[in-house]
Amino acid sequence: MAVTSLFTRLNPLAPKSVDTDMDIAIVGAGFSGLGMAIQLKEAGIENFTILERAAEVGGTWRDNHYPGAACDVASHLYSYSFEQNPNWSRAFGQQPEIFDYIKRTAAKYDLYKHIRFNTSIVKSWFNEDEGRWHAQTADGEELTAQVVVSAVGALSDPAYPKIPGLDDFQGKLMHTAQWDDDYDLGGKRVAVIGSGASAIQVVPEVQKAAAQMTVFQRTPSWIMPKPDRPIPEKEQEEYAERPFKLHKRRFRIYWMSELFAPFIISNKKFFKTQAEKMAKQHIRKQVKDRDFQKAVTPDYAIGCKRILISNDWYPAIQADNAELIADGPAEIKANSIVLKDGREIEIDAIVCATGFKVPSKAAPFQVQGLNGLDMNDAWDDGAEAYKGVAVSGFPNLFFLMGPNTGPSHTSVLAFTEMQMEYIGKAVGHMARNNLKWIDVKKSVQDRFNRGIQKRMENTSWTSGCNSWYLTDSGKNTTLYPGFNWEYRVRLWLFRPSEYHEQPADKSKKNKAA
Ligand code: NAP
């Protein structure tokens, strides 16, 4: 059932239909890439190709199929506004259902015919004379397109921990994002490394299946109760029959999240105290032992790392077959893990719930823009873009989930949908004005980022903990330091005056990829 969002319907500035033979390459067939493709189709642009390195759509929801994988954003908000789903079976969607939703949506909008699977880009460069991007695939093929949209996701490349001896481990080694469904945890002695968002979901499932579970928690997370529930069929039918109710539910979840944003983002004492009080209550309710309470209580400001939601993490790590080690491993041997105090634990399998390499700190692949400018050089001091979407010196290249557009308190789609609209408007402007390329002005980008970094000073994220949000020098290049509604307003208009423009050479006709 398609329900065009009220916002889009009422938005007089939404991208208009354009008639163009401009060719566009979208890199990545996850939520963002597919959403971008739908946006282009709605604007009447069919000349696009989605380049996907895997063999199926779905991005993070294809890759993260570890037991317990779910979304910690409510289902009705973690879906496209223009393709709402009345049939979510739970308040918080689980991976199989979200993955099905993505595949179903891709099929419904006839996107599969636009996708080149198993196509991994290793290098790309802009040819200024042609006004086209060239890209080399891992197979050595060269592709070209006038416009490129990078939709590679914020967290798609798993990071394994740097622990001495990990490579010599003889048992089963798995990352949460590279789960082996054929491996049976039943009766095994399993170590889980990590206590972040992925760990708190996989650990309760590992605990149920394994004979013995050892959890390595180097830093505890702040955890809130998860207000999850099954959604009865009757309620689902109502959403299907009365789309207004579905809109209303989404609207309510959206604004509740916005209301809670300051408790997560702001470093003001009032917000921190209130939020920490709630999280500590959750600990006291689920953990009775004082020493254990201490071990799982973070010593950094709430919100500094991602706030997690779970009702079964604390029970799982206190179960009879579980042991919590409040530290990382010292060393890994062929069949055991050595603790920092010298104790050695025999194990059969290691689950690394150790997160991802973060591309908003570096280019997703080698990218060369105007005058051979390498994106990693341009991002020497951390990734920066204008509104998270365009990077000066890299014409006709747009980002979805680019620098400083990560959500801390709401659905990532609330950010990416605005970016898709903005990119749609940029492409429309190029087509209508017969432009070869547009490149955001450096002064515009710098002014925007000075503002972003200034606001970062008063956020929880820069209050003194270590997280994947920050670069090595402590700069937050990943999250947006404000409300989503405010970001939406910022992206509402595409202002041509903020871009350098290069008119098309009328004597040459662009060649399709
Ligand atoms: P993460 O938040 O980066 O957590 C990685 C964990 O591994 C941390 O606890 C970290 O400890 C630990 N670790 C890393 N190296 C270690 C070592 N050598 N020894 C011991 N521990 C080590 O990664 P994640 O849990 O995969 O989550 C990443 C992001 O993915 C989340 O922030 C979220 O945005 C997203 N995510 C979302 C959902 C969802 O429901 N929507 C679910 C899963 C993930 P330290 O904290 O001490 O570094």
Side-chain angles (χ1 to χ4, degrees), residues 61 66 70-72 155 161-163 193-199 201 216 218-219 305-306 328-329 353-356 468-469:
W61 297 103
Y66 54 84
C71 187
D72 57 10
L155 304 164
K162 292 186 182 79
I163 301 171
I193 303 174
S195 49
S198 303
Q201 294 181 345
F216 289 87
R218 189 166 64 180
T219 315
K305 285 170 181 276
R306 187 175 173 89
T354 44
F356 300 84
W468 65 262
Y469 301 155

Side-chain angles (χ1 to χ4, degrees), residues 27 121-127 132-136 148-152 359 362-379 390-399 439:
V27 187
I121 304 298
V122 290
K123 185 177 165 187
S124 66
W125 61 99
F126 187 68
N127 183 314
R132 295 180 69 77
W133 281 97
H134 290 238
Q136 190 185 316
V148 175
V149 179
S150 169
V152 298
F365 35 82
Q366 196 194 347
V367 183
Q368 279 184 346
L370 290 176
N371 305 315
L373 176 64
D374 192 297
M375 188 165 275
N376 281 331
D377 291 336
W379 283 357
V391 183
S392 181
F394 299 85
N396 296 3
L397 171 63
F398 301 100
F399 282 83
D439 181 31

